[in-house]
Amino acid sequence: MIDSPSVSYTGLSPVLFVLGAALVGVLVEAFVPRAYRWGVQLGVALAGTLGALISVILIAGRNELTLSRAVAVDGPALFIEGTLALLGVLSLLLLAERSPDMGGSAFVAQAAVPVGTVRDRQLATLTYSQTEVFPLATFALAGMMIFAASNNLLVMFVALEVLSLPLYLMAGLGRRRRLLSQEAALKYFLLGAFTSAFFLYGLALLYGYAGTVDLRGIFDQAAGSEKSDALFVIGLAFLVVGLLFKAGVAPFHAWTPDVYQGAPTSVTAFMASCTKVAAFGAIIRVLYVGFGNNDWTWRPVLYGVAIVTLVVGSVLALTQTDVKRMLAYSSIAHAGFILTGTIANSPAGLSSTLFYLLTYGLTTVGAFAVVMLVRDADGEAGHLSQWAGLAKRSPLVAAVFSLFLLALAGIPLTSGFTGKFVVFRAGLEAGAAPLVVIALVASAIAAFFYLRVIVLMYFSEPAADGPTVAVPGLLTTISLAIATAATVLLGVAPGAVLDLADRAALFVG
């Protein structure tokens, strides 16, 4: 007889809400007439993500393992799931109003702004035909939530594929720059498949060592076994490579700038914020729960990886002339900052990482939302020279973008400063002072290329044929308003959220 596993439907409710919305979205795509599909798909996706966010709030404080110990319902899992649900709502608003045709909002194109050419009218019509982006996004979100909550490496691998495959498709949905978008999707797919194989091979080696793929089982075997550590260390190395790729950490970062630039910007906002949150959620669970007592195997490696990531992200961002590529290398540098807290292997390191992921995700969504608004005849104005004098054309947009850039730079009274402060403090308490010093230098370098854009917007004359700033629709305005308010509040009064992260910094089992 095979006993069916006990299932905590209450504990799994955030994932079930999002997964249910994804499945309903597939049925909507199949049976609802095209004329009504956009509104129905948006409603279903938002209902699922908002339901997940509310359920996280209602079950906060729950600690249990469900599905035969395969999935954890604990503080870190719920904090990550709540963060993903919030970022998912903001990203869906951007996806809805600026669907991945790269041609702008359905409302703007057909109502507020006259469409002059046949091609523009065709692109505006295509906005309605790409409603499959909503179930793809919700499937990816569900995979991300399971990925961060998995207490079993095999379940984590399945979740990795569930979150990855929709992202590969979404990256190739660009219409205005189709070749660039499809090239980005192909690169992402090939490199993603390659690193998934690393993850799976590491999983197999660890199973050969421990006889189980349960994280706590691996922990117990490593603590009381007299076996050779070779299989253990090699398996962990392969496993970590697969995880670090998803986090966009150097030297596994090569896909990041090309995919961020080639994918539709609304999709890039979704990937840049949510994927990094999910990836680091999985990293801290694997390292802390499965290998916490064997940090001699991974702390020195992550120490070096963090240094390489900080240098690569900060220095290469200086050379970029495209806004999206600059933000892509910026995200690589931020992965290094997050690793500074992660390697602490302590409750302070865990809580600081959770808080940093929340602040980074909100700021990133807001930054890419602004990038979508600055447009020229060929679509979004990506080159930095096109942003010259933007403050004279649209002072409000320039001010909001400056706020997000200052937050990414870690300037005081922004969420970025608080996030960097807590991860640096955790690193110092763990004895990683040299790494913190390098991170401070990298942060100073990063401030230069952020401030360069602000100076360009405020102290340069706009070109006569410069880009225009699209009037944001209601959905984009809501997303930007929430991201802006959170960026300010988490910098001015972060106490409540810091306390929440401290209380959440406890793994179950």
Side-chain angles (χ1 to χ4, degrees):
M1 294 290 292
I2 299 177
D3 296 328
S4 60
S6 61
V7 181
S8 172
Y9 291 103
T10 303
L12 293 174
S13 56
V15 178
L16 295 177
F17 268 110
V18 178
L19 195 56
L23 295 173
V24 172
V26 172
L27 297 178
V28 170
E29 199 66 27
F31 297 109
V32 173
R34 179 172 296 179
Y36 306 101
R37 201 177 294 165
W38 181 90
V40 175
Q41 287 282 32
L42 176 60
V44 169
L46 286 178
T49 48
L50 287 172
L53 183 58
I54 294 171
S55 63
V56 166
I57 296 172
L58 293 177
I59 65 174
R62 199 179 185 96
N63 284 280
E64 61 181 332
L65 293 172
T66 185
L67 290 174
S68 296
R69 297 178 54 87
V71 179
V73 182
D74 55 13
L78 292 175
F79 193 97
I80 292 292
E81 288 173 2
T83 300
L84 287 171
L86 175 59
L87 297 176
V89 169
L90 302 184
S91 299
L92 285 169
L93 295 177
L94 300 181
L95 286 167
E97 193 153 65
R98 296 195 175 274
S99 291
D101 61 345
M102 301 290 284
S105 162
F107 298 122
V108 171
Q110 296 190 356
V113 177
V115 182
T117 67
V118 173
R119 174 173 170 77
D120 285 339
R121 284 194 294 272
Q122 290 172 341
L123 287 171
T125 303
L126 286 171
T127 302
Y128 290 108
S129 69
Q130 289 192 298
T131 50
E132 67 271 13
V133 72
F134 295 106
L136 286 174
T138 44
F139 269 122
L141 269 177
M144 291 172 189
M145 290 180 175
I146 301 173
F147 190 51
S150 297
N151 197 55
N152 181 296
L153 292 180
L154 196 57
V155 173
M156 187 173 286
F157 174 74
V158 173
L160 174 63
E161 297 306 301
V162 172
L163 77 90
S164 297
L165 294 175
L167 293 178
Y168 301 151
L169 293 172
M170 292 169 68
L173 288 178
R175 293 285 190 175
R176 191 180 287 273
R177 296 186 295 176
R178 181 175 298 178
L179 291 179
L180 189 62
S181 179
Q182 292 176 352
E183 179 186 351
L186 184 61
K187 288 179 179 178
Y188 196 17
F189 168 70
L190 291 176
L191 291 174
F194 187 63
T195 51
S196 292
F198 272 87
F199 185 96
L200 191 58
Y201 191 51
L203 184 158
L205 292 177
L206 288 170
Y207 179 75
Y209 171 83
T212 179
V213 290
D214 181 85
L215 289 177
R216 184 58 64 178
I218 295 173
F219 179 91
D220 293 338
Q221 282 291 322
S225 175
E226 296 182 356
K227 300 177 184 177
S228 170
D229 289 329
L231 204 63
F232 176 80
V233 173
I234 296 172
L236 176 60
F238 278 109
L239 195 72
V240 168
V241 167
L243 293 171
L244 293 181
F245 170 85
K246 273 300 170 193
V249 173
F252 315 106
H253 68 285
W255 63 275
T256 308
D258 291 336
V259 173
Y260 279 28
Q261 182 185 23
T265 305
S266 51
V267 174
T268 303
F270 177 69
M271 288 192 302
S273 57
C274 296
T275 306
K276 196 171 294 290
V277 171
F280 272 102
I283 288 171
I284 56 179
R285 182 168 297 277
V286 167
L287 296 181
Y288 282 35
V289 177
F291 306 93
N293 270 8
N294 299 92
D295 57 2
W296 59 269
T297 58
W298 55 265
R299 278 195 72 192
V301 175
L302 287 193
Y303 201 109
V305 167
I307 293 173
V308 173
T309 303
L310 289 166
V311 172
V312 168
S314 301
V315 173
L316 292 185
L318 292 172
T319 66
Q320 303 306 309
T321 57
D322 184 271
V323 175
K324 289 173 71 174
R325 291 185 72 88
M326 184 198 74
L327 291 174
Y329 280 105
S330 164
S331 76
I332 296 169
H334 281 278
F337 296 133
I338 298 170
L339 284 175
T340 305
T342 302
I343 65 170
N345 192 21
S346 65
L350 176 56
S351 65
S352 64
T353 300
L354 294 175
F355 181 81
Y356 199 108
L357 290 173
L358 174 62
T359 59
Y360 169 80
L362 290 167
T363 306
T364 300
V365 169
F368 280 106
V370 175
V371 172
M372 294 194 316
L373 298 178
V374 184
R375 314 181 66 82
D376 58 17
D378 296 324
E380 289 160 4
H383 200 278
L384 282 177
S385 62
Q386 296 175 289
W387 289 67
L390 183 68
K392 298 178 181 178
R393 294 179 180 270
S394 181
L396 182 59
V397 170
V400 171
F401 194 53
S402 298
L403 173 66
F404 293 134
L405 292 177
L406 292 174
L408 291 171
I411 301 301
L413 300 182
T414 65
S415 60
F417 173 79
T418 311
K420 287 183 179 179
F421 177 80
V422 293
V423 295
F424 291 168
R425 183 180 61 185
L428 286 173
E429 291 174 353
L435 177 59
V436 173
V437 171
I438 294 172
L440 286 170
V441 174
S443 186
I445 296 172
F448 173 79
F449 59 77
Y450 294 129
L451 294 174
R452 178 181 62 177
V453 180
I454 297 175
V455 170
L456 196 64
M457 290 190 298
Y458 280 91
F459 300 103
S460 298
E461 290 297 322
D465 56 346
T468 59
V469 178
V471 178
L474 176 62
L475 302 182
T476 301
T477 302
I478 293 173
S479 184
L480 273 172
I482 295 173
T484 303
T487 299
V488 174
L489 289 175
L490 291 177
V492 176
V497 181
L498 285 172
D499 291 341
L500 181 63
D502 288 336
R503 292 195 299 271
L506 181 64
F507 289 106
V508 68

